[in-house]
Amino acid sequence: MPGLLIKSSFFISVLLLSGCFGGGNYAPVVERQERVSTVPASHKVSAGETLYSISWRYNLDFRRLAATNGIRSPYTIFPNQKIRLLDSTKDNSRSNNQRQAVTPATKPTSKTTASSNKTKTSKPANTDAIALNRSTHPFRWQWPAKGKTLRGYSTKSAVHKGIDLQGKLGEPVHAANSGTVVYAGSGLVGYGNLLIIKHNEHYLSAYGHNRRLLVKEGELVKVGQKIAEFGDTGTDKVKLHFEIRRDGKPVNPLGLLPKG
């Protein structure tokens, strides 16, 4: 009887261990919940990043981040450049000298389509060179997709800063407002293939988990334009993760999107 009890306990332990470390229910999908919530003192630029994507990663206003580092529009940054994240604008002169000391081996000239997953050189999203004409690109919010809301915005959640919308693989994702694409890539953990659009000096919007990106960085997009396709990149199901931020801070999209 004691021997049977020992064997039973061993068998139960094996089952528990296999349940914890194996099985389809424990697929290693990286979601936003796993991201570090604290902001480090600095960030080392990786290929493909823009000042906008870095500010998005750490919930910072891109204008303040640029000022902290003495970076002027069109906000050109380079791989391996050190970006200070702490708000210390009084040290701008020292920061500017450090920035000027960073010299790229070659001037970024290669163009990469937004749908490509190849490594690309960090480049400016020159929103000053191409001004938005509001007669052709009106400032007007609309829903980025037709699917129902799977998950809403929550002020209690430190990680879910937007809404999730239902859709089928390959269905269209539309620009929720007119603006300029300031990031197109997959470098932000938990967002999959991501687009970030700058609408003016205050508002940015983001579209995550896309299967395919249809626009490039620096491209002007019009409200309602098809910019991507529904996918499941960076997550465990097909959906669109949509966020709006004002001055670097998340806001509830439902407060801006049309009712119904």
Side-chain angles (χ1 to χ4, degrees), residues 116-187:
S116 173
N117 292 324
K118 296 180 180 180
T119 301
K120 57 185 177 180
T121 305
S122 295
K123 57 184 179 298
N126 193 342
T127 57
D128 289 345
I130 309 174
L132 280 174
N133 184 337
R134 288 303 179 187
S135 63
T136 57
H137 291 73
F139 185 88
R140 182 180 70 247
W141 293 104
Q142 78 163 39
W143 285 82
K146 297 180 179 180
K148 69 177 183 179
T149 303
L150 295 174
R151 185 175 182 181
Y153 178 88
S154 174
T155 57
K156 297 179 181 179
S157 173
V159 292
H160 204 265
K161 301 178 176 66
I163 60 176
D164 289 343
L165 298 176
Q166 186 180 50
K168 296 180 180 179
L169 188 68
E171 284 188 340
V173 174
H174 303 279
N177 207 332
S178 301
T180 307
V181 179
V182 292
Y183 179 75
S186 56

Side-chain angles (χ1 to χ4, degrees), residues 51-66:
L51 188 78
Y52 295 93
S53 68
I54 294 172
S55 64
W56 192 279
R57 181 190 298 271
Y58 299 108
N59 300 321
L60 300 173
D61 186 342
F62 70 90
R63 296 168 302 172
R64 180 167 293 182
L65 184 62

Side-chain angles (χ1 to χ4, degrees), residues 64-72 84 91-93 95-96 99:
R64 180 167 293 182
L65 184 62
T68 298
N69 290 273
I71 302 174
R72 296 181 180 181
R84 292 187 298 116
D91 290 336
N92 277 347
S93 58
S95 166
N96 189 48
R99 178 180 63 85

